[in-house]
Structure formats: C-alpha cells, structure tokens
C-alpha cells in the first residue's frame, strides 16, 4: 500500500507522537476522504495538537478512539503501539487493514534504500554505513528509528534507515539492501513472545531484497536464516578481522587487507562486527573498498561514536565513566562488559522491569571479577540472579546518583564505572536521554575519591 492508495479513503492515524504527526501531514496531502488521529496514551509528556495538525485531522482520545479506529478503512499505527495492545488484537481479529508510515514510505522508496535492523548494533551500523557512503561520494539521507520519521525525509537517490522491530513488522516491501546486525530476545512484552519478536524483526527480509547482509558471527541469526543466501559479514568469505601485514588485527575483504583494527575508534569486539557489516554493505553497493581503502581508513577514523553508546567520560579521579544507557537488554550489557575486559570494572544495572531472563548475564559473568550495583526497578532481581558468583561483588542502592557515589568508593584507580543498565529507562526517567543526564550530573556532583 502506497500513500497514493489512501486518496478518497477514510483513514485513522493511531498515535500522536513524532511518527503519528508525520503520518497525518503526509496522508493529508494525498486527499483522504476522512482523516482522524487517535491517541489512547495521552499524558503530561503529550505535545499540543494544534495548527496544521488540527486542521488536517481532529484528535480523538479515550475510549472513543477505538470506535474511530474500527470505523476507518485503513489504520496507520505508530511504531510505539505494541502488537499486544488489546485494541490492535481486536482490530486484527476483525480483519482491519493496518499499516504504518514506514511501510507506506517503503512502498515508494524500497529500491533506493538500505534498511538496517538488529537487537543490538543497528544504530551504530546504520550510522557507519551512511557516514562511509558519504565519504565514498555516495550521498544519502539518513533517518528512521534514529530520529527522523521516514515520512519526513526529503527526496534522495539513496537512503540509509535504522529500523526497529516495530517498524519492520508491518512492511510489505523489503529495502534493496536489508541488514540484520544481531538477534536475541528483546521487547517481548510488546511483540507477544520470542518467536513473535523474531518474526517481526526478520519481516524486513521477507519481500525480495536484492541483497541481505548479516552479522555472520551471531548464533541466533545463523539458526533463523539457515541456508538462506546472504552475505555473512565477519566470515572468511566476506569482510572480516584477521592478522594483518604488521601482525596486528586488520580488516580484510576476504584475504585482501584494508586497514588496521586500530583505525576504528570504537571499543569492543561488537563494534568490529558492526564495521564488518557496514563495509560489506558498501561492497554490495558497488563501492571499491579495496581500491579506496586509504580513504575509507580516514573516514573510519573520523567516525564519532553515537551518544549514550559506550560514551566515555574521563574524570579527575582517574576513573573512566561510561554512558551506555541504551544497553536495554542483558545481551547488550554483556557486549559492553566485554569491551572493558582486563580493566577494574563496576557496572550499574537496573531499570524498568519487563520480566527479562537475566540468566545469560549470570552465565557470562561466571568467571569475571567485577562489581555490579543494582538500581530500581529490576536491579534487585538482577542482583539476585548474580548471587553466588564467586568473583562478582553485588550491591543494591536506591537510585542512580547513589550508585555513582558508591561506584566511586568501590572502583580501583584507573578503573571503569559502566552504566549499562540491561533494562529500559521508562518509569523512573522520562526517557533514555534523561537517564544519561542524571548519570552525568551525578558524576559531576559526587566527590572524586582517587588522586
């Protein structure tokens, strides 16, 4: 379904946030017979619905919202509406036509799009792809889940999109290049279970992409994709990391060296994998990554890591504080912990408790020596899961500021204090940015304890 298919039809846009607002403006320009917006989650953070938005579509709230959704010929839901929402379950039972702004946009732009999803790494990888394409004289527009709704994007010859599982779930067109960086259980409460989450995430691949690039080192992707023909970045027959001419790790295209691993400023083995995927995408798009390896090395060295993803904050005490607030699952926290292997480490965990199984984190830390500080709401349950590990010291505190204060006392000089919560921010914070602000403020206001 395209935006043009909505002409002369009754349409209800479900959601009044960033995506819903973009959908209303875009749909209104195509002449629907009737257009209404529905918001069933209005709260103190809701922005005013006025001006061109109110002129294009009246906003309906409360129980009347379901009636308007049910009466519409087409429902355009925002990604934030979970698959398990009772209204959505009932609409699907009735056979309603349901789509999303990203699906409407993709129907017209798939052939010009690189779409990147994954349980971990999609933001960094999509940013890398866009950055490196620009450096290789392949201008592109970057957007999607990372900040710019697809329906707000300008016309361009090439797009690079970060796509969440929520955005992937309603697609009926796959992008020209479909990319998956990792797969592990995440957002299960919104999708209805692990199988449903994998189904929605991998829907990105279901409609004939020209090329599929995946992280070849990810075990769940290997199981889910089986013998499907894909480019497995990180494997020996694609872009990979191996010993280079000087004996240190280098990035290679198969067996042809590109540049040293040290060129990449991002820490962690997972970021090596992200760059392998990005370079494999450039290769698939026809960029001569061997012939232009020197220019690529410069571009990689200039890449700035994304905010709130292993963002280091050097402190006068000699400690390194690390903001990894976007690590909202145990698997993401495990990658972050691995990035600081060999250094004294204190990890702050906890946030909104979605009932996630933290056993994988316990298994990962079985032979590690570190301190873990738990904060509400899920902190106590995480700490309980880690109880009994011989080398893991555990502590519980009441809030993030107290956790930073305690971390200063417990972390040895030249050590690392890592905020990698393994849980979302909502409930105690407005959003992940607010959690980062509180973390940074706590660092500034607590007294350094090391000279």
């Amino acid at each position: 379904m395209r935006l043009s298919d909505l002409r002369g039809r009754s349409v209800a846009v479900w959601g009044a946030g960033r995506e819903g607002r973009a959908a209303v403006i875009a749909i209104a320009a195509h002449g629907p017979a009737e257009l209404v917006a529905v918001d069933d989650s209005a709260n103190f953070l809701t922005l005013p619905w006025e001006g061109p938005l109110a002129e294009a579509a009246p906003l309906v709230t409360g129980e009347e919202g379901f009636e308007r959704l049910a009466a519409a010929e087409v429902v355009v839901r925002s990604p934030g509406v979970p698959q398990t929402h009772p209204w959505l379950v009932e609409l699907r039972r009735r056979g309603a036509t349901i789509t999303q702004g990203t699906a409407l946009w993709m129907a017209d732009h798939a052939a010009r799009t690189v779409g990147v999803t994954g349980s971990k790494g999609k933001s960094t990888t999509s940013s890398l792809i866009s950055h490196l394409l620009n450096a290789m004289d392949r201008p592109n527009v970057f957007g999607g889940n990372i900040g710019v709704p697809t329906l707000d994007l300008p016309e361009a010859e090439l797009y690079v999109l970060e796509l969440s599982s929520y955005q992937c779930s309603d697609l009926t067109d796959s992008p020209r290049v479909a990319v998956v960086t990792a797969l592990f259980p995440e957002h299960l409460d919104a999708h209805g279970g692990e199988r449903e989450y994998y189904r929605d995430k991998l829907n990105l691949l279901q409609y004939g992409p020209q090329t599929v690039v995946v992280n070849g080192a990810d075990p769940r992707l290997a199981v889910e994709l089986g013998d499907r023909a894909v480019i497995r970045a990180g494997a020996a027959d694609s872009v990979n990391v191996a010993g280079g001419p000087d004996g240190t790790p280098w990035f290679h295209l198969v067996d042809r060296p590109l540049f040293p691993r040290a060129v990449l400023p991002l820490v962690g083995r997972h970021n090596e994998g992200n760059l392998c995927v990005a370079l494999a995408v450039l290769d698939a798009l026809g960029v001569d990554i061997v012939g232009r390896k020197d220019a690529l090395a410069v571009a990689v060295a200039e890449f700035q890591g994304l905010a709130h993803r292993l963002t280091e904050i050097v402190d006068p005490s000699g400690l390194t504080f690390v903001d990894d607030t976007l690590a909202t699952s145990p698997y993401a926290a495990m990658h972050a912990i691995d990035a600081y292997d060999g250094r004294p480490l204190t990890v702050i965990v906890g946030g909104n408790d979605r009932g996630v199984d933290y056993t994988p984190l316990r298994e990962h830390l079985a032979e590690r020596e570190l301190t873990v500080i738990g904060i509400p709401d899920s902190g106590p349950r995480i700490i309980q899961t880690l109880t009994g590990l011989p080398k893991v010291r555990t502590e519980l505190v009441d809030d993030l500021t107290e956790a930073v204060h305690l971390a200063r006392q417990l972390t040895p000089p030249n050590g690392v204090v890592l905020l990698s919560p393994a849980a979302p921010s909502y409930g105690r914070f407005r959003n992940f940015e607010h959690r980062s602000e509180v973390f940074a403020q706590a660092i500034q206001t607590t007294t350094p304890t090391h000279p």
Side-chain angles (χ1 to χ4, degrees):
M1 179 178 289
R2 291 175 160 80
L3 278 167
S4 58
D5 295 329
L6 301 180
R7 183 178 302 277
R9 306 180 74 175
S10 63
V11 181
V13 172
W14 187 358
R18 182 179 61 194
E19 293 275 352
R21 289 164 178 263
V24 164
I25 296 300
I27 294 167
H30 286 78
E34 182 182 12
L35 181 60
V36 64
V38 172
D39 184 9
D40 68 309
S41 59
N43 57 41
F44 70 98
L45 296 174
T46 300
L47 298 173
W49 191 267
E50 55 193 17
L53 288 166
E55 294 174 10
L59 179 64
V60 177
T61 59
E63 290 301 317
E64 183 187 351
F66 177 75
E67 298 174 9
R68 301 303 294 268
L69 293 171
E73 294 178 77
V74 179
V75 174
V76 180
R77 72 180 181 107
S78 294
V81 177
Q83 297 278 23
T84 52
H85 193 296
W87 289 4
L88 187 57
V89 172
E90 177 60 18
L91 289 170
R92 292 198 190 282
R93 189 190 69 79
R94 297 185 185 190
T97 300
I98 301 169
T99 186
Q100 278 189 59
T102 298
L104 293 169
W105 182 91
M106 193 71 77
D108 287 318
H109 299 87
R112 291 176 277 162
T113 300
V114 176
V116 183
T117 194
S119 304
K120 174 71 176 175
K122 61 183 179 292
S123 298
T124 297
T125 302
S126 55
S127 299
L128 269 168
I129 292 168
S130 178
H131 171 76
L132 296 180
L133 283 171
N134 281 323
M136 295 294 101
D137 306 314
R138 297 287 296 274
N140 62 91
V141 169
F142 183 41
N145 185 59
I146 201 165
V148 182
T150 50
L151 291 174
D152 279 344
L153 295 176
E155 281 299 310
E157 294 184 4
L158 181 63
Y159 298 90
V160 178
L161 302 184
E162 179 201 328
L163 298 170
S164 69
S165 54
Y166 310 120
Q167 291 170 309
C168 291
S169 62
D170 287 325
L171 293 178
T172 53
D173 299 89
S174 291
R176 173 184 172 185
V177 181
V179 181
V180 188
T181 60
L183 199 62
F184 52 75
E186 178 74 304
H187 306 301
L188 304 188
D189 51 340
H191 290 271
E194 185 171 341
R195 294 307 318 162
E196 291 79 4
Y197 169 69
Y198 294 163
R199 175 202 64 201
D200 289 346
K201 179 72 80 174
L202 296 178
N203 190 51
L204 180 73
L205 314 181
Q206 298 309 308
Y207 299 95
Q210 182 176 319
T211 305
V212 176
V213 179
V214 304
N215 175 4
D218 186 274
R220 278 191 179 82
L221 272 174
V223 171
E224 293 295 324
L225 297 177
D227 58 1
R228 178 170 180 157
V230 300
I231 296 171
R232 300 180 189 273
D237 59 352
S238 180
V239 180
N240 62 82
V241 178
D246 61 359
T248 66
W250 278 53
F251 288 94
H252 295 73
L253 176 59
V254 190
D255 59 354
R256 289 169 287 179
L258 299 175
F259 45 79
R261 163 53 177 103
V263 166
L264 177 65
L266 307 184
V267 300
R269 291 288 300 276
H270 63 292
N271 278 318
E272 293 178 11
N274 291 337
L275 182 54
C276 285
V277 171
L279 291 171
V281 169
L282 265 66
D283 184 52
L285 289 172
V287 175
D288 182 2
I289 65 174
V290 175
R292 303 199 65 184
K293 60 184 180 182
D294 292 340
L296 272 173
V298 172
V300 168
E302 292 175 344
F303 181 74
Q304 299 296 313
L306 302 180
H308 318 302
R309 291 173 176 83
L310 293 179
T311 302
E312 295 190 354
I313 306 168
V314 178
D315 188 73
S317 66
L319 296 177
T320 298
F321 288 85
V322 182
D323 176 7
D324 194 42
T325 190
L326 282 175
T328 58
S329 75
Y331 298 92
M334 287 152 53
H335 282 303
I337 290 167
D338 286 348
Y340 293 95
D341 189 33
R343 294 185 63 180
L345 181 62
T346 298
V347 186
I348 301 172
V349 299
N352 181 261
D353 195 343
R354 299 171 297 170
V356 172
D357 180 11
Y358 287 100
T359 304
L361 180 61
R362 176 186 174 86
E363 295 171 349
H364 194 72
L365 300 183
E367 302 300 324
R368 305 292 180 101
E369 184 174 352
L370 75 167
T371 298
V372 180
I373 301 174
I375 62 175
D377 294 318
S378 59
R381 193 163 65 82
I382 298 173
I383 295 302
Q384 183 178 21
T385 303
L386 301 180
T387 299
L389 293 179
K391 299 180 181 180
V392 177
R393 174 175 179 169
T394 58
E395 301 284 347
L396 279 173
V397 296
D398 292 333
D399 57 41
L400 182 53
T401 299
E402 187 179 347
V404 170
H405 180 74
L406 181 59
R408 280 198 183 279
Q409 300 175 37
L410 300 181
T411 310
N414 302 314
V416 176
V417 177
L418 170 65
L419 172 62
S420 195
S425 58
Y426 46 82
R428 299 269 174 169
F429 304 93
R430 293 189 301 273
N431 47 40
F432 68 87
E433 292 97 342
H434 183 212
R435 180 160 63 184
S436 288
E437 291 171 8
V438 172
F439 182 57
Q441 185 177 22
I443 295 169
Q444 294 173 0
T445 56
T446 54
T447 305
T449 57
H450 301 308

